[in-house]
Amino acid sequence: MKKVISSSAINQLADHYICQQAAEEDIALGVALKNLSKEDLLAIVRPADRYNASCFRRRIRRERTIWGVAMAAMMAVAITIPFYINTVADQQVDNIIYSYNSPTLELLTAVPRGGGERITDIRRLDDAQLKSQIPELKEEYDESEELQDVAINGRILALAYLRLHHRKEARQTLQTMIGRLSEEPADYQAVINWCQRILSEI
């Protein structure tokens, strides 16, 4: 009759076998370590130390790089946002000035020039058309000899520049208008005041 081995007995035998194997491995490891020289031990330990130190240095360099990139990005945003806000605000002011002076443009372009030539009504032009018309408007202003033509062509050119947000050119036009019209300030004081008011706003 065969003897049946219980599961608990099997577990005990397995535990005993595992413990015996672990003990034998410990003994073998101890013998192997005793046979190693000092140089052998250093050869085993030092590469790991060098590897760990190298990994640590690379990690530090990587973190410094990431920090530097993050700081550069933050600085770029800090500089760009105020510039963008100021630009948008300036363009809104330009638009308000142009819209406010739309009746002035209507009056300036209602009367033909001396030879019957119509004055360009920039209100009827889109931005692309107005941009292509700028050289002609500037030429008309620069070649104006009569102060009345200076007052008319100068205001049209200045407002055209403002509509396109070319503030530098608008300022130059207004400043030269003041200088040219100051030859007869009594007759053109209202236009001079108009130029000075817009200059103060842009």
Side-chain angles (χ1 to χ4, degrees), residues 21-89:
Q21 286 292 108
E24 290 176 356
E25 290 176 359
D26 290 343
I27 293 171
L29 178 60
V31 173
L33 290 175
K34 287 180 180 179
N35 293 331
L36 289 176
S37 64
K38 181 178 180 181
E39 289 75 11
D40 293 333
L41 289 173
L42 291 175
I44 294 173
V45 175
R46 283 178 178 172
D49 291 342
R50 288 198 299 271
Y51 176 78
N52 292 337
S54 177
C55 289
F56 181 74
R57 285 194 296 270
R58 284 199 300 270
R59 181 177 179 183
I60 291 297
R61 286 196 296 268
R62 184 180 64 180
E63 290 179 354
R64 287 178 177 174
T65 302
I66 294 173
W67 176 254
V69 171
M71 289 300 295
M74 290 173 62
M75 290 296 294
V77 170
I79 293 172
T80 303
I81 289 178
F83 175 78
Y84 174 77
I85 293 174
N86 290 336
T87 300
V88 171

Side-chain angles (χ1 to χ4, degrees), residues 11 23 31 40 56 58 99 103 111 115 118-119 123 125 127-128 131-132 137 144 158 163 172 182 191:
N11 291 335
V31 173
D40 293 333
F56 181 74
R58 284 199 300 270
S99 298
V111 181
R118 301 296 302 182
I119 299 175
R123 297 174 304 154
L125 305 177
D127 288 349
K131 188 174 182 179
S132 65
L137 294 175
S144 298
R163 177 175 153 185
Q172 292 174 346
S182 294
V191 180

Side-chain angles (χ1 to χ4, degrees), residues 60 114 146 157 183 200:
I60 291 297
E146 300 292 332
L157 180 61
E183 297 176 8
S200 67

